[in-house]
Amino acid sequence: MVSLALSRHMFRDVSYLPCLTKLTVSESNVRCMSAVPGPKPEGPKTEPNSQNTDDRKPLIPDRYRFKYPDLLPLPKMEWRNAIREKLERRDQMARRSQIDIPEFYVGSVLAVYQNNRHAADKKQKFVGICTQRDGYGLRANFVLRNVIDHIGMEIRYLLYDPTIEKIEVLRLEKRLDENLLYLKDAPPEHSTFPLDMEPEFIAEDEPVPINPVQVKLKPKPWRMKWEKWGMKGIAPDSFFPGQLKGKIPLVKPWDEMDLMKQYRQTIPEEEQQEIYAELYTELHQQDASRKRTRRKDSKKKK
Amino acid sequence: MNFLKNVCNSLIKPVLPVNSSHQLNLLSSVQQVRGTKKYVRPLRIRYPMWFLRQNRAKTIENLTKDNKAFIQEVICDKFGLENIEGGTPTCVSLSPLKSDPAVYTEKWRPGTRRVGLIVRKIGVYPMWQKDGTQIATTLFQVADNHVIKYIPPNEFEPVRKRYRVKQREMGAVIVGADSTDPQKFTKEYCGLFDAAGVLPKNKLCRFIVSPEAALQAGTPLYASHFRVGDIVDIRGKTISRGFQGVVRRWGFRGQPKTHGSTKTHNRPGNIGGGGEKARVWPGKKLPGHMGNKWRLLKGQEIVRINTKYNVIYIRGQASPGNVGDLMYMFDTILPLRRRKADEAPPFPTFFPHKLEEALPDDLYIDDMHQFNEPTIQYEPEKVEKKKK
């Protein structure tokens, strides 16, 4: 009886036991790794598991899940199959051996060089800000947005499309939100980038900077009810006073606490480790060789 | 009636021990049964003669650890060690063929029907052609297939006979998929696999074949049974979607959501005419159960084959069933897309030991882009100068 009463008490007020709360929090951090690169600032970096003292295994850097989110499979249990995922990953790596698919995030500015059979000279270049990243495996894709001749243009590219010749990161940074769909309702200067933009220099091995810019939206009508979505990148003065009052927000803050939901919507950490361990040597070699060529190129330019 | 019951009870008591079932049996012979008659529908599916009761009744056998280990040992001795070949669990069979390997001398002729494969749908992903167009491909893995039995034409009796139509003499090859623990099955069912010498299979299927395409029991079947560029048919059960309305089931347009219409948005509307034919015509499209039906998808092209994992890639994503479902794949029955006389397939099936060099891991059709090839380039068009 005593234990029952205690457990009930614990359920009512978890903060009563400080050690328990600590445990749950740390577990949630480990377990619910988001498969999609979130703009959330990463917490203090913890050292890799001290229990795992197998030195022969390569230690998979923690940033891989943000750097290569497309190498993870779709976390839908009914559609998962180990063999298909393996074959898909092999095809992805085969394509990665042909072109450099760089690290980029929502909010980065990219230039994509594509061979297009409908273009006059069969080549096409587009520069824009990445507003979305979607899909898993060979279906991984991203959307670039730019304003050209006062007209907003958006192009969705498949990451593994073999007609893409080159993907160049002109400005590597993150924004405050997971997607920048609200740029459609923002003034054009927020999504205007010159087509001859030069790549900006960022020292290697530095953390990716987060751009804390907040966009002031144009007056209504909007494509979505932005006041309901709780976007961090929208300036609060975009909404007139009282607009937020009495409205039910579509954001569900309690979802963060729903461990089971998070577990179902993401690939568990152990599986992520397995997947990246399988590809580590190849990815590492590709990275190293590309760094070397980049250095050579930069020396030549000087 | 009460009187009768009492008489019956009094009759039974001295003879038989009190047992409710006995009482009921006697009573039913006396009681009126005219109104309680129930119509029992005949079973639509008749199992073929070679199929036996599969699953064993689960009994609680308090086996010790040692006993369980001993059973595993016996299974290993009989069928070989557990092994994973091409991603599917099976066993290293000690001798795949019990008798001496058969010698196949017959050659393929147009019109002969070969055996098919039992495949598992494992997913869909995009691929690209050499001209840059993106296509969806469906992946099917050959699910550890072995030939279990061959039934010659004089013994083979199809479940559904076509009356008054004289058919060609055809035999049947029974193929099994997915090796499973024999403890799961009945003794009789396990006996089906004695001749083949393989672990009992979870799924059995028979393919009607020409007598020339007969195969020896125990022969393994691989994805290379087909070749890239082949046209195949896929038979499977569609996804069950439950009881659905007319809009979802038959694609009716429904009725307006607004403009004053109430309670009729997804309804079919009028279902019959008046006048002399004041009734609903048979076959009218109405709400009902949708899906869970056998469907045959014809004329599908194989664009790639992975020989290592026994995976067949098919152009398009329209195959029936969900990911993880088993289906049957065989040479197409479409008359215009069948093989020509000069396109002989591996006959009666593909034998890896007959090849001098092993096949490459991946086989593609000619116009398919391989992911390890360089980026697709387009040649600039030649602009003809206008003559002045």
Side-chain angles (χ1 to χ4, degrees):
Chain A
M1 280 308 291
V2 175
S3 62
L4 239 175
L6 229 174
S7 65
R8 265 184 211 151
H9 189 74
M10 274 155 60
F11 275 119
R12 215 181 302 147
D13 184 15
V14 184
S15 59
Y16 155 74
L17 290 167
C19 58
L20 193 84
T21 49
K22 258 188 191 174
L23 229 173
T24 47
V25 166
S26 67
E27 251 185 22
S28 72
N29 276 342
V30 173
R31 198 70 177 167
C32 308
M33 282 164 65
S34 129
V36 183
K40 291 169 196 168
E42 290 163 45
K45 279 192 177 177
T46 49
E47 282 193 353
N49 279 344
S50 53
Q51 294 168 352
N52 240 347
T53 46
D54 199 352
D55 292 335
R56 285 169 297 174
K57 276 188 181 174
L59 285 171
I60 311 304
D62 191 37
R63 63 173 196 283
Y64 265 35
R65 65 194 160 106
F66 301 110
K67 202 175 170 186
Y68 306 109
D70 47 279
L71 291 173
L72 296 176
L74 177 74
K76 186 167 177 174
M77 279 312 293
E78 310 87 281
W79 290 354
R80 289 195 64 185
N81 181 292
I83 303 284
R84 199 215 66 235
E85 282 163 17
K86 198 176 227 176
L87 291 170
E88 195 167 4
R89 246 177 273 134
R90 259 173 43 169
D91 284 350
Q92 280 174 293
M93 292 312 289
R95 181 65 195 148
R96 272 177 182 272
S97 69
Q98 292 299 321
I99 68 158
D100 176 19
I101 295 176
E103 174 189 4
F104 68 94
Y105 302 92
V106 168
S108 305
V109 182
L110 308 181
V112 174
Y113 300 78
Q114 195 181 20
N115 295 327
N116 188 341
R117 62 179 146 173
H118 303 297
D121 52 349
K122 308 290 174 192
K123 305 242 173 205
Q124 192 187 33
K125 184 196 172 186
F126 190 71
V127 174
I129 183 168
C130 176
T131 57
Q132 279 181 66
R133 272 195 88 162
D134 269 347
Y136 296 84
L138 283 169
R139 274 175 248 245
N141 58 62
F142 59 95
V143 176
L144 293 190
R145 179 181 169 80
N146 201 348
V147 176
I148 294 165
D149 295 344
H150 309 290
I151 295 170
M153 304 246 318
E154 290 194 1
I155 301 183
R156 186 180 289 269
Y157 290 103
L158 279 144
L159 212 54
Y160 292 93
D161 191 340
T163 55
I164 290 179
E165 187 123 17
K166 191 180 167 192
I167 302 172
E168 196 178 9
V169 181
L170 304 176
R171 184 189 293 160
L172 183 65
E173 63 181 19
K174 291 179 186 175
R175 287 288 195 98
L176 297 173
D177 294 306
E178 282 185 15
N179 62 55
L180 305 178
L181 289 170
Y182 51 76
L183 287 183
K184 288 179 180 180
D185 293 323
E189 60 262 26
H190 291 291
S191 40
T192 311
F193 300 92
L195 285 175
D196 52 350
M197 193 174 156
E198 294 250 324
E200 291 171 9
F201 175 75
I202 276 192
E204 281 164 8
D205 310 325
E206 257 186 36
V208 181
I210 296 170
N211 189 354
V213 70
Q214 285 193 319
V215 176
K216 204 200 166 192
L217 301 184
K218 286 191 285 190
K220 276 189 165 185
W222 294 331
R223 269 143 232 259
M224 285 163 89
K225 295 176 178 174
W226 295 118
E227 68 274 13
K228 282 190 170 186
W229 286 90
M231 294 290 206
K232 286 171 197 158
I234 300 178
D237 57 343
S238 316
F239 314 114
F240 56 82
Q243 196 174 0
L244 301 169
K245 209 177 169 187
K247 296 228 171 173
I248 309 155
L250 293 168
V251 206
K252 293 169 185 163
W254 53 87
D255 272 3
E256 281 178 24
M257 308 297 167
D258 194 343
L259 295 185
M260 209 54 226
K261 194 172 184 181
Q262 297 241 1
Y263 180 79
R264 281 195 214 105
Q265 287 177 347
T266 51
I267 302 290
E269 192 202 357
E270 300 82 38
E271 271 183 64
Q272 289 192 18
Q273 290 286 337
E274 252 175 53
I275 290 166
Y276 288 128
E278 182 193 317
L279 311 171
Y280 178 71
T281 43
E282 215 171 326
L283 285 171
H284 191 69
Q285 278 174 5
Q286 284 179 5
D287 254 19
S289 70
R290 262 147 208 166
K291 264 183 197 173
R292 249 176 274 141
T293 49
R294 239 176 278 153
R295 266 176 221 149
K296 272 182 195 170
D297 289 352
S298 60
K299 271 180 191 173
K300 270 182 195 172
K301 273 182 189 173
K302 279 171 190 174
Chain B
M1 285 302 291
N2 279 336
F3 169 68
L4 262 176
K5 269 185 193 173
N6 288 334
V7 170
C8 285
N9 284 342
S10 61
L11 275 173
I12 294 158
K13 264 174 195 170
V15 185
L16 293 166
V18 182
N19 190 331
S20 57
S21 68
H22 284 118
Q23 282 183 31
L24 278 174
N25 281 342
L26 265 172
L27 279 176
S28 62
S29 63
V30 179
Q31 269 183 348
Q32 190 183 9
V33 287
R34 239 189 304 171
T36 57
K37 195 174 128 190
K38 275 182 187 171
Y39 176 64
V40 183
R41 292 178 84 196
L43 274 174
R44 285 178 87 188
I45 302 164
R46 212 156 39 80
Y47 282 113
M49 286 307 288
W50 46 264
F51 194 86
L52 301 163
R53 196 163 69 89
Q54 189 177 20
N55 288 333
R56 194 170 62 97
K58 278 176 191 168
T59 50
I60 303 158
E61 296 153 352
N62 296 320
L63 292 179
T64 59
K65 251 188 185 177
D66 291 346
N67 285 348
K68 277 181 190 170
F70 175 70
I71 291 174
Q72 280 306 322
E73 212 174 279
V74 171
I75 293 170
C76 278
D77 281 350
K78 197 175 175 192
F79 300 105
L81 287 168
E82 280 178 39
N83 187 30
I84 291 178
E85 281 172 17
T88 45
T90 177
C91 61
V92 191
S93 42
L94 300 171
S95 63
L97 304 176
K98 274 200 160 181
S99 49
D100 291 337
V103 183
Y104 301 100
T105 48
E106 292 276 352
K107 283 196 174 175
W108 181 84
R109 279 179 288 111
T112 42
R113 263 162 88 177
R114 298 190 303 155
V115 72
L117 299 178
I118 303 177
V119 289
R120 173 172 281 115
K121 184 171 171 176
I122 58 171
V124 180
Y125 70 63
M127 279 178 72
W128 281 266
Q129 289 179 352
K130 282 209 167 129
D131 61 350
T133 47
Q134 184 197 350
I135 59 161
T137 54
T138 313
L139 281 72
F140 294 95
Q141 195 189 17
V142 180
D144 188 24
N145 284 3
H146 281 92
V147 173
I148 304 301
K149 195 184 176 186
Y150 169 67
I151 306 174
N154 52 356
E155 288 172 30
F156 174 57
E157 203 183 348
V159 178
R160 283 182 194 169
K161 277 181 199 166
R162 292 176 69 193
Y163 296 104
R164 294 174 197 166
V165 179
K166 205 189 175 189
Q167 284 186 308
R168 284 188 292 169
E169 283 211 329
M170 299 290 254
V173 169
I174 297 169
V175 177
D178 285 350
S179 300
T180 322
D181 186 4
Q183 294 176 66
K184 200 186 141 192
F185 302 124
T186 57
K187 201 174 157 189
E188 308 87 68
Y189 185 79
C190 288
L192 289 177
F193 304 89
D194 279 352
V198 292
L199 266 178
K201 303 279 185 178
N202 220 346
K203 181 94 180 168
L204 286 179
C205 165
R206 65 117 175 79
F207 293 96
I208 299 175
V209 297
S210 310
E212 309 94 86
L215 280 163
Q216 195 180 15
T219 317
L221 301 175
Y222 302 100
S224 315
H225 178 70
F226 298 112
R227 292 182 312 185
V228 284
D230 277 2
I231 310 290
V232 291
D233 294 350
I234 299 158
R235 190 175 174 77
K237 250 185 177 187
T238 54
I239 299 170
S240 178
R241 290 170 199 278
F243 194 97
Q244 291 298 332
V246 115
V247 171
R248 182 117 189 253
R249 194 178 181 211
W250 298 110
F252 283 17
R253 228 172 72 178
Q255 281 158 65
K257 304 283 166 243
T258 54
H259 294 274
S261 59
T262 59
K263 299 177 191 170
T264 55
H265 306 294
N266 280 19
R267 287 182 165 200
N270 184 21
I271 58 167
E276 287 180 7
K277 302 284 182 207
R279 61 189 174 90
V280 180
W281 285 86
K284 175 77 197 129
K285 289 172 180 172
L286 287 173
H289 193 283
M290 182 180 170
N292 198 27
K293 280 181 179 172
W294 287 101
R295 284 287 174 270
L296 179 60
L297 183 70
K298 294 179 210 165
Q300 299 299 300
E301 191 193 1
I302 296 177
V303 292
R304 176 180 169 187
I305 287 176
N306 186 299
T307 51
K308 192 181 171 193
Y309 291 100
N310 277 317
V311 176
I312 298 169
Y313 293 64
I314 271 171
R315 188 193 295 270
Q317 50 182 4
S319 64
N322 212 339
V323 171
D325 288 357
L326 288 174
M327 311 170 186
Y328 312 128
M329 188 185 280
F330 42 87
D331 295 332
T332 187
I333 56 169
L334 293 175
L336 296 179
R337 305 197 71 185
R338 274 188 212 153
R339 275 196 199 78
K340 307 284 180 307
D342 56 334
E343 300 166 347
F347 189 77
T349 183
F350 168 77
F351 297 104
H353 60 268
K354 280 190 182 174
L355 289 179
E356 289 172 3
E357 276 183 33
L359 286 173
D361 272 6
D362 278 303
L363 302 162
Y364 297 81
I365 56 168
D366 290 341
D367 65 339
M368 193 56 68
H369 173 82
Q370 300 176 21
F371 284 98
N372 53 9
E373 284 176 351
T375 308
I376 294 167
Q377 302 282 350
Y378 299 104
E379 281 181 16
E381 284 166 23
K382 286 170 189 171
V383 184
E384 289 179 11
K385 283 178 184 175
K386 282 181 184 175
K387 288 174 185 176
K388 281 180 184 177

